[in-house]
Amino acid sequence: MLKSSHHSRTAMQTSPQYVIGLDFGTSSVRALLVEVATGREVAEAVRPFPRWDAGQFCDPDLNQFRQHPLDHLEGLEQVVREVVALVEDPAQIVALAVDATASTPGPVNEQGRPLGLLSEFAEEPDALFILWKDHTAVAEAEEINQLARSWGGPDYTKYSGGVYSSEWFWSKITRITRCNERVARAAHAWLEHCDWLTLELTGLPLAELKRSRCAAGHKALWHPDWDGLPAEEFLVRLEPKLAGLRARLYQQTYPADEAAGTLSPEWAKKLGLRPETVVAVGTIDAHAGGAGAGITPYAMVKVMGTSTCDIVVVPPADLASRAPVAGICGQVEGSVVPGLVGLEAGQSAFGDLLAWFEELLRWPLAAVLAHADSLNDKQREQLRQEAESSLLGLLTEAAQALPFAQSPVLALDWVNGRRTPDANHQLQGALRNLTMGSSAPEIFRALVEALCYGSRRILERFEQEGIVIKEIIGVGGVAKKSAYLMQTLADVLGRRIAVVASEQAPALGAAMYAAVAAGCYASVAAAQQAMGSGFSEHYQPDPERAAAYHARYAEYRALGEFIEATTPGPESPAGT
C-alpha cells in the first residue's frame, strides 16, 4: 500500500534531499520517505508479513511467536522500491535507517545469515526470529535473575530495573540453546532484528557490524560498567552450552545516529538506490518513536500499539548520584537521544488486549456464518469483512454511551504478562464483578480502563523513583485512532496528553537518525527541531472523572495484588 503527497515540478527542480525511515513492527514493515530540510512526509508504503498473518510458526497456547526472515526481506524490498519510485533521481535519497521490535533475536551462521534462510532450517521455528512477545523463556528469565543476585560478581540486572524479562535476549537464547541442540550447534552467533537488517543492507562482514546500543543496553545486559556483555563465567553458570558465545558477539555498541556503512551493491540494485546511500545503526522501534515525537528531558513518550513502550530521557548528571531506576526495562546512556540516558518501561499488551476481545466476539459470528445455508460464499465473506471492520468501533460507541457511574466490571491488563513495573510474565489477566447483566460493552470498557490503570502504575513507578514526568506525549496507532481510549487515559492519569501529528513517529524517528548519520544535521536534537511534526490533538482530564477513577484505580491495585499473590512462580507449581 502506497500513500504519497503531491509533488510539484518546482519542488523537484530544487533537488531536495530525502531520507527513508524503515519501521519493522509486529505484523508489517513500513517505509517512510521524508524530506530532510522540512520533515515533510512525502510518501509511505506498507506491507504486511504474510507468514505471520497466516499464523505460521506460532502457538499462542505456548506463548510461542516466531517470524520468518523472508517476511522481512520481501517486505523491505517492496516498500522501499515503492517510495523510491516517487523520486526523480535516486541520488536525492542520501540515507536510510531501520528500527525494529525488540528483543527479537535470531540465530545466524558465521556470515551473519539467519538460519531460517538455510534450507535445512526453513521450517524450524527455533531457527527463526524470536519475536518480542514470545514468552517461552519464563523459567530462563527467572534463572538469570536468581544467578545475577547470587553468583558473586556484578548484578547484571542493575541497569535493567533489577528484573530480567522472558521477552529479552539472553532468556530466549538460553531457552533455544537448551531445547534445540541442532539449532544451538548451527548458531555461530545471535543478532537482534534491527542489527541483522543493518548487516543485510550493508553487506559487511559480521565482525564489522556496529551493534545497536539501544538493543544491547535495554535487552542484552550490555553496560560499560562491566566492559560490555555479562562475563563468560556468568553465562556458563547459567547454561554450559553458552560457552564461547560471548566472544562471538560484541563488546562495542553504537547510537542510532551513527553511520553503520553504505548500501551493498546487491541491495542498492534491489532497491533502486545508489551504493553510496548511508545506512545508519539500527535501533528499537519505540526508541525511534521517542525521537520522532520530539522527546525532551522528563517528557514521557507513550508509543502505543500492540504493546506500549514508555520512553523517558534524562541528562546523565541527574542520575549520577542515585541508584538505578527499579522495575523498568533499562536505562542506557546514548539510547533514544545520544548524550542523554534513555529509560524504557511499558505494557506487554495494549492494542493486543482489545484485539483479543474482538477476536473472542468474532468467533461465534464466524461459526454461525460458516453454517448459514441461507447465505452464499460472497455474502458470508461480505458479512465477515463488515464485522471485522466495524466491531471495535461499535464497541467503543456503546461503551461511551454507558452511564459513567455504571462500572461494576473490573479487569486486569496482564493477558501477555506484566512488563512494567517489575517484569513478571507468569501473571495473567482477570475479570471481576461479572454478573448476568454484564454486557460486551461493559467488559470492553473495563479492558480499556485496565490499560489506563496499567499506564498509571508505570507513571507512578517513575515518580516514586525520583523521575518526575513533566509532559506526556502519545504516538502510534492507538493514540491516533481511539479518542475514547486517549480521553480515558487522560482522566485516569489526571494529566494532559499531547498526540503527535505524524501517524508514523517511529519511522519518522528512524528518518531523523538517518539524516544525522548522513551529515545533514549535527545532532538528533537539531534533526528533531527541523523535521518534527508537532501535535495534532490534546486531551485534558475531566476533574470529576479523574476523581472517580482515582478510587477505581485502588480497586485495580487490590485485584492485581491478589492475582500476583496467588500466581505460582516458575519454581513453585500450583498445588505445592
Side-chain angles (χ1 to χ4, degrees):
M1 180 176 67
L2 179 67
K3 297 179 182 178
S4 64
S5 62
H6 179 69
H7 284 256
S8 70
R9 174 62 58 179
T10 302
M12 298 306 293
Q13 287 175 343
T14 62
S15 296
Q17 290 183 316
Y18 301 104
V19 286
I20 295 174
L22 283 165
D23 175 35
F24 283 81
T26 297
S27 58
S28 63
V29 56
R30 171 175 282 100
L32 186 68
L33 182 69
V34 182
E35 187 175 52
V36 171
T38 64
R40 181 170 66 95
E41 298 177 12
V42 178
E44 64 173 286
V46 184
R47 184 182 190 273
F49 299 142
R51 296 165 186 81
W52 169 261
D53 280 352
Q56 295 182 32
F57 314 112
C58 298
D59 188 338
D61 289 337
L62 298 177
N63 282 318
Q64 174 182 301
F65 297 97
R66 311 291 163 83
Q67 290 193 326
H68 202 289
L70 281 177
D71 269 355
H72 306 134
L73 293 180
E74 292 165 0
L76 166 65
E77 183 173 354
Q78 179 174 328
V79 296
V80 174
R81 289 194 70 89
E82 286 184 22
V83 298
V84 168
L86 296 177
V87 178
E88 290 185 351
D89 182 0
Q92 293 173 277
I93 299 176
V94 296
L96 57 83
V98 170
D99 72 66
T101 63
S103 184
T104 301
V108 299
N109 64 13
E110 292 186 32
Q111 290 73 45
R113 188 166 181 78
L115 299 188
L117 294 178
L118 307 179
S119 59
E120 60 267 37
F121 290 109
E123 300 298 320
E124 171 54 68
D126 290 343
L128 306 180
F129 281 91
I130 318 299
L131 190 65
W132 64 270
K133 66 189 283 183
D134 186 295
H135 293 150
T136 53
V138 169
E140 285 74 16
E142 181 59 22
E143 287 181 53
I144 291 170
N145 286 319
Q146 295 296 331
L147 183 61
R149 300 180 190 115
S150 64
W151 79 293
D155 180 353
Y156 291 120
T157 70
K158 177 180 179 180
Y159 296 103
S160 295
V163 183
Y164 200 69
S165 169
S166 61
E167 292 185 345
W168 298 347
F169 191 77
W170 290 112
S171 302
K172 293 174 174 177
I173 292 172
T174 303
R175 176 75 178 177
I176 300 299
T177 299
R178 287 175 174 172
C179 298
N180 196 315
E181 185 176 349
R182 184 164 159 261
V183 170
R185 285 199 309 266
H188 172 77
W190 288 74
L191 288 175
E192 278 287 358
H193 191 201
C194 66
D195 286 331
W196 165 61
L197 290 163
T198 302
L199 180 73
E200 176 73 27
L201 287 167
T202 59
L204 292 168
L206 179 59
E208 296 180 21
L209 171 65
K210 290 184 176 181
R211 305 275 189 142
S212 165
R213 181 162 301 168
C214 281
H218 288 275
K219 312 300 178 185
L221 298 174
W222 178 94
H223 198 274
D225 279 8
W226 38 81
D227 199 26
L229 294 170
E232 174 80 359
E233 179 185 352
F234 176 86
L235 296 174
V236 171
R237 284 201 198 183
L238 173 65
E239 171 50 61
K241 292 180 182 178
L242 294 176
L245 178 60
R246 185 187 190 277
R248 301 194 300 273
L249 291 176
Y250 55 90
Q251 184 172 353
Q252 299 299 319
T253 65
Y254 301 85
D257 65 343
E258 289 197 22
T262 56
L263 279 178
S264 70
E266 177 187 3
W267 272 103
K269 183 177 181 180
K270 285 182 180 179
L271 302 179
L273 292 170
R274 301 179 308 147
E276 295 84 2
T277 306
V278 171
V279 179
V281 172
T283 194
I284 300 174
D285 53 355
H287 293 225
I295 194 169
T296 56
Y298 296 101
M300 174 184 281
V301 174
K302 296 184 68 65
V303 184
M304 306 162 74
T306 53
S307 67
T308 68
C309 281
D310 297 330
I311 306 297
V312 181
V313 293
V314 179
D318 292 3
L319 298 173
S321 60
R322 49 149 298 145
V325 179
I328 65 169
C329 305
Q331 57 185 73
V332 181
E333 185 168 350
S335 73
V336 190
V337 178
L340 299 174
V341 177
L343 310 176
E344 178 191 339
Q347 293 162 270
S348 292
F350 203 79
D352 259 1
L353 178 61
L354 304 181
W356 162 79
F357 187 59
E358 181 184 24
E359 186 63 29
L360 194 71
L361 297 182
R362 273 194 213 150
W363 185 90
L365 175 62
V368 169
L369 286 175
H371 295 86
D373 294 335
S374 61
L375 302 175
N376 58 40
D377 289 345
K378 182 178 180 180
Q379 290 169 325
R380 290 192 189 97
E381 178 60 19
Q382 183 177 353
L383 281 174
R384 185 195 66 78
Q385 290 181 6
E386 288 178 2
E388 188 170 305
S389 64
S390 63
L391 185 53
L392 274 181
L394 293 172
L395 281 169
T396 297
E397 290 177 10
Q400 286 179 295
L402 292 170
F404 181 69
Q406 181 184 328
S407 186
V409 182
L410 184 67
L412 280 180
D413 52 309
W414 297 340
V415 294
N416 206 11
R418 185 180 67 212
R419 179 181 293 163
T420 315
D422 306 312
N424 184 346
H425 289 289
Q426 292 285 92
L427 298 175
Q428 298 176 334
L431 288 168
R432 197 188 78 181
N433 296 343
L434 293 177
T435 71
M436 290 292 289
S438 299
S439 66
E442 284 181 303
I443 295 173
F444 179 76
R445 181 168 76 172
L447 296 176
V448 169
E449 291 170 348
L451 294 174
C452 299
Y453 298 144
S455 294
R456 178 166 168 174
R457 282 205 69 188
I458 294 170
L459 177 65
E460 288 182 347
R461 173 57 64 90
F462 272 110
E463 299 205 320
Q464 288 164 2
E465 291 287 312
I467 307 298
V468 178
I469 304 302
K470 299 178 180 178
E471 180 183 11
I472 299 177
I473 300 169
V475 305
V478 175
K480 298 294 290 185
K481 295 175 183 176
S482 180
Y484 170 59
L485 189 150
M486 295 304 295
Q487 183 60 55
T488 304
L489 183 61
D491 293 340
V492 169
L493 298 183
R495 302 285 191 99
R496 176 178 180 268
I497 303 173
V499 177
V500 172
S502 174
E503 296 187 2
Q504 314 302 340
L508 178 59
M512 291 174 180
Y513 292 139
V516 179
C520 302
Y521 292 102
S523 67
V524 171
Q528 288 176 307
Q529 184 68 28
M531 300 172 68
S533 69
F535 303 118
S536 57
E537 293 95 21
H538 293 86
Y539 293 90
Q540 298 283 358
D542 177 277
E544 290 186 11
R545 294 195 175 207
Y549 278 132
H550 181 73
R552 192 75 169 156
Y553 174 65
E555 298 180 38
Y556 167 88
R557 291 292 303 270
L559 177 60
E561 289 168 6
F562 170 78
I563 294 296
E564 191 160 9
T566 56
T567 299
E571 297 178 2
S572 303
T576 63

